[in-house]
Amino acid sequence: MSQASVLKFPDFVLRRISKPVQHIGRSERHLIELLIKTMEHQPGGIGIAAPQIGVLRRIAIVDVSPKAADARRLILINPEIVKMEEETVNREGCMSLPDYTANVRRAARILVRWDNYDMKRCEYEAKGLEARCIQHEVDHLNGMLFVDRVASLKRDVFRRKRYL
Ligand code: NI
């Protein structure tokens, strides 16, 4: 299986709300594999959400282990952020907006709940980069992009340098 192509802003699919997953079967497992492959294909990729490859289902992958040694891969099915604490501003990027980064305000600590493969609810307290990444991916499931959350498009959005 190779990776999928990633939809880029301003593709309207990125603006739609994804549908909840009722059960995990063959096609859902395939979608999860494809998301992981697509995320890993991107240098520095630490998260991806199904709508980014054109599938409007509430599934996202977060794996900050390249940047935080104690982290593990989270396969978030129907994720929901149930608690948010403390605000921080940090630089963020997105595979769907590859030419930009931005300063985005997010909760520093969150409690996230999601379904596992058996559709049992799990919960986990995340902080720092991992908490930021989870919030970013849940936004994708709700049709939101990080540029929607900046205080000022002029001051807080930056064009990436291009390296040849
Ligand atoms: Ni993104």
Side-chain angles (χ1 to χ4, degrees), residues 38-56:
T38 306
M39 181 183 82
E40 287 177 344
H41 184 75
Q42 175 82 7
I46 55 172
I48 190 168
Q52 289 184 278
I53 61 166
V55 182
L56 291 166

Side-chain angles (χ1 to χ4, degrees), residues 47-129:
I48 190 168
Q52 289 184 278
I53 61 166
V55 182
L56 291 166
R57 311 288 304 279
R58 299 188 80 82
I59 298 179
I61 314 293
V62 169
D63 187 353
V64 299
S65 59
K67 291 175 180 181
D70 56 341
R72 63 195 174 98
R73 179 189 290 153
L74 300 171
I75 296 166
L76 304 170
I77 300 158
N78 300 324
E80 187 188 4
I81 295 164
V82 293
K83 206 162 76 183
M84 294 177 147
E85 284 174 359
E86 206 184 311
E87 288 194 331
T88 63
V89 175
N90 220 323
R91 200 65 77 87
E92 243 173 71
C94 179
M95 287 193 278
S96 295
L97 285 129
D99 296 332
Y100 295 92
T101 63
N103 290 328
V104 183
R105 185 178 298 276
R106 301 273 188 197
R109 288 191 308 277
I110 61 167
L111 181 66
V112 59
R113 290 197 180 122
W114 72 93
D115 293 322
N116 67 11
Y117 280 60
D118 302 318
M119 301 307 282
K120 289 215 174 76
R121 215 68 183 141
C122 307
E123 72 170 37
Y124 174 61
E125 261 185 53
K127 58 179 169 43
L129 177 64

Side-chain angles (χ1 to χ4, degrees), residues 106 134-145 149:
R106 301 273 188 197
I134 293 167
Q135 290 168 82
H136 176 116
E137 301 312 332
V138 171
D139 273 356
H140 275 302
L141 303 180
N142 294 320
M144 273 191 89
L145 298 169
R149 293 204 178 268

